[in-house]
Amino acid sequence: DTGRPGYHPSTLLKLYVYGYMNRVQTSRRLEQESHRNLELMWLIERLQPDFKTIADFRKANGKAIRQVCKEFVLLCRHLNLLSHDMVAIDGSKFKAVNTRDKSFTKTKIKMRIKEVEESIDRYLKDLDAADNDDSGGSHIKVDRMKDKLKRLKLQMKGLKKIEADVEQSPDKQKSLTDPDARIMKGSMNSRIPAYNVQSAVDPESHLIVAHEVTQEPSDRRQLFNMATQVNEILQSENLKVFADKGYYKSQEILLYHEAGITTYLPKTYTSDNAAKGLFTRSQFIYIEEDNEYQCPAGERLTWRSRINEDERDLDTYRSAACPQCKIRNQCTSSKQSRKIKRWIHEELLDALEDRMLHNPKAMTLRKQTVEHPFGTIKHWMGATHFQMRRLENVKTEMSLHVLAYNMKRVINMIGVKALMEAIPA
């Protein structure tokens, strides 16, 4: 009632979209650009919001900004820029606003406490030695060591508190700067505080159809969630999803089948039998009509029992001929007979393997499709990280990156004029 009128949300949204399209992502730099950039001065009608107003808008309107990103993808669908029945999905680690020194795991905090304890012991021994030194200037050295010892004890107190927090955390991690960041494996096997960003990309237009920011270091349980989001947007009756072997999980494959989603992803092999020179499971042939397996020696493994393991119902098969088998040492190192486990929905995994066999270029298509947007967005971000902290805010920031990327792609495909005509319609 008494101050200046507030900035209209569309003005600040235009400011952010322009900034993310032109690799200007911080609120302070956006404030600077609004004073000197003629394009931006024209776009926001010579308004000059300060950096705090700009930053607060992004922080306070996360849900609406994410909805704008989704609405733009729906616009792309109406413009027939999406293939409607095919996407490639992948995940990538994006650095969080958190240094490695301020991220702790159970192992790391114990190592740091041990280092500080060793330093305290060393200084105490040096103090004892200094007490016996009668040379001049020793009191100065003692004062310095006492000061360092005092700081080390304060550091130890802080580390003990962090250790207690790590123990109480469900995943045994704690990040001080961004509490929602998690230590993940990055490039060159480095471990960094990061977020796992998932994206689903259209193979024809390379537009990002859906994306998600998660705290899960692994992609193993992300595919069905992403495929569901894509189906809500594309409304496809026969969606085809391409992903790498990092997403291979039998329970998820069952969910895709029940949802009518066709998946293409290579099978993972976790057994170390091949490295040991033993027969692998693939060398045991399943005889469907008899519900038995045939081993490399020609013997049959018959059904014995059904067990529950890793939330899956598995049938177990064994052969009575194992103790007398001449090639037993090539089959198993166990004192018991070789056991084969078969999931009750194993036929879905066999069908997936058959699809991959008949589509040898599936993984090439996936790589050419989904790696491109990640590379482009990381190039725009530069050798930096997310600007915001906490998961919800990082989701908002990623939506701005995706919106800017998609908008640039559409402009390159149909031009500015056609896009401007399509938005009001």
Side-chain angles (χ1 to χ4, degrees):
D1 295 333
T2 57
R4 294 180 180 179
Y7 292 98
H8 196 279
S10 65
T11 300
L12 294 175
L13 180 61
K14 284 190 290 184
L15 176 64
Y16 266 114
V17 172
Y18 179 87
Y20 275 76
M21 288 181 72
N22 292 277
R23 300 171 67 178
V24 182
Q25 293 138 20
T26 67
S27 57
R28 291 181 185 272
R29 286 193 62 201
L30 285 171
E31 179 189 14
Q32 291 174 357
E33 292 299 307
S34 69
H35 287 259
R36 66 187 182 190
N37 188 315
L38 292 179
E39 284 184 338
L40 196 54
M41 290 167 68
W42 168 83
L43 182 67
I44 61 175
E45 299 174 340
R46 301 192 70 176
L47 293 173
Q48 297 177 343
D50 65 273
F51 74 91
K52 189 68 168 63
T53 301
I54 297 171
D56 287 345
F57 172 79
R58 180 172 56 182
K59 187 176 181 180
N61 296 278
K63 187 176 180 180
I65 291 172
R66 294 196 292 272
Q67 185 62 30
V68 170
C69 179
K70 185 176 180 180
E71 289 291 334
F72 190 80
V73 176
L74 293 173
L75 173 66
C76 295
R77 191 192 73 184
H78 293 313
L79 291 172
N80 293 319
L81 299 178
L82 304 177
S83 61
H84 298 288
D85 63 349
M86 191 183 301
V87 291
I89 295 176
D90 200 3
S92 184
K93 310 301 187 297
F94 282 68
K95 288 194 294 184
V97 189
N98 207 102
T99 64
R100 296 179 190 176
D101 290 340
K102 293 190 176 182
S103 288
F104 297 92
T105 60
K106 196 172 181 179
T107 304
K108 185 177 179 180
I109 191 66
K110 286 183 177 180
M111 183 181 67
R112 289 283 291 274
I113 288 173
K114 184 181 178 182
E115 289 174 353
V116 174
E117 285 176 344
E118 290 174 352
S119 297
I120 290 173
D121 291 340
R122 188 173 63 253
Y123 277 112
L124 287 173
K125 290 178 182 178
D126 291 343
L127 278 173
D128 291 339
D131 288 340
N132 299 324
D133 186 5
D134 297 332
S135 61
S138 62
H139 65 281
I140 298 174
K141 186 178 179 181
V142 169
D143 290 340
R144 286 178 180 174
M145 285 192 290
K146 284 182 177 179
D147 183 55
K148 288 181 179 179
L149 196 59
K150 183 179 179 181
R151 279 183 286 166
L152 283 171
K153 287 180 178 179
L154 285 173
Q155 186 179 353
M156 176 64 77
K157 187 177 179 181
L159 290 173
K160 288 291 185 181
K161 185 179 183 305
I162 294 171
E163 184 182 31
D165 293 340
V166 169
E167 286 292 340
Q168 293 175 2
S169 174
D171 55 359
K172 307 300 180 186
Q173 289 193 37
K174 182 176 176 63
S175 297
L176 301 184
T177 308
D178 184 354
D180 291 341
R182 291 293 177 267
I183 296 176
M184 302 180 186
K185 187 181 289 188
S187 60
M188 304 298 289
N189 288 327
S190 61
R191 297 182 67 81
I192 56 173
Y195 289 94
N196 186 2
V197 178
Q198 301 287 315
S199 73
V201 184
D202 182 82
E204 294 181 4
S205 63
H206 284 208
L207 290 168
I208 299 176
V209 181
H211 71 280
E212 186 71 60
V213 181
T214 73
Q215 296 171 290
E216 289 279 341
S218 171
D219 295 333
R220 195 75 66 189
R221 294 182 291 181
Q222 304 300 324
L223 192 58
F224 182 70
N225 175 40
M226 291 302 301
T228 303
Q229 291 187 43
V230 170
N231 237 355
E232 289 177 2
I233 294 172
L234 298 183
Q235 298 178 357
S236 173
E237 295 181 359
N238 185 24
L239 179 66
K240 298 181 181 67
V241 173
F242 296 82
D244 61 26
K245 62 182 180 181
Y247 290 90
Y248 194 94
K249 186 176 175 64
S250 53
Q251 294 95 322
E252 293 262 309
I253 293 170
L254 176 60
L255 294 176
Y256 315 145
H257 174 74
E258 292 172 347
I261 299 170
T262 305
T263 53
Y264 293 84
L265 64 158
K267 189 174 184 178
T268 56
Y269 296 95
T270 56
S271 174
D272 59 351
N273 280 346
K276 293 178 180 179
L278 301 176
F279 294 133
T280 62
R281 188 179 182 277
S282 60
Q283 292 172 279
F284 289 76
I285 303 169
Y286 181 64
I287 313 299
E288 187 176 357
E289 55 269 20
D290 299 330
N291 190 25
E292 294 177 351
Y293 273 92
Q294 181 176 306
C295 75
E299 300 292 341
R300 291 291 187 97
L301 284 76
T302 58
W303 184 91
R304 296 301 176 91
S305 63
R306 177 166 292 182
I307 61 173
N308 186 275
E309 190 176 280
D310 297 331
E311 301 177 356
R312 299 185 304 165
D313 290 326
L314 305 173
D315 289 328
T316 62
Y317 299 81
R318 289 183 185 273
S319 173
C322 271
Q324 296 82 31
C325 183
K326 294 180 180 181
I327 57 173
R328 175 187 171 84
N329 60 339
Q330 299 179 43
C331 187
T332 180
S333 58
S334 173
K335 294 180 180 179
Q336 299 179 345
S337 59
R338 177 70 181 262
K339 180 170 67 174
I340 295 294
K341 299 175 185 177
R342 180 180 176 84
W343 185 37
I344 60 173
H345 299 291
E346 190 85 15
E347 68 278 359
L348 299 179
L349 307 184
D350 294 337
L352 172 58
E353 197 169 354
D354 187 62
R355 282 198 299 273
M356 291 298 297
L357 186 64
H358 288 83
N359 291 274
K361 295 183 178 179
M363 289 302 98
T364 304
L365 174 65
R366 181 209 67 81
K367 187 175 181 180
Q368 292 174 345
T369 300
V370 79
E371 301 290 352
H372 167 251
F374 276 140
T376 302
I377 291 174
K378 286 188 175 182
H379 177 67
W380 289 355
M381 293 175 74
T384 181
H385 42 60
F386 284 121
Q387 304 294 325
M388 304 185 77
R389 307 172 189 177
R390 308 308 300 240
L391 180 61
E392 289 303 311
N393 295 330
V394 169
K395 286 182 177 181
T396 300
E397 188 177 353
M398 193 64 206
S399 291
L400 284 168
H401 278 296
V402 171
L403 177 61
Y405 169 83
N406 281 346
M407 196 170 286
K408 271 197 171 185
R409 289 290 301 169
V410 173
I411 289 172
N412 290 335
M413 292 168 66
I414 65 174
V416 176
K417 185 177 180 181
L419 177 60
M420 291 178 65
E421 290 174 352
I423 289 173

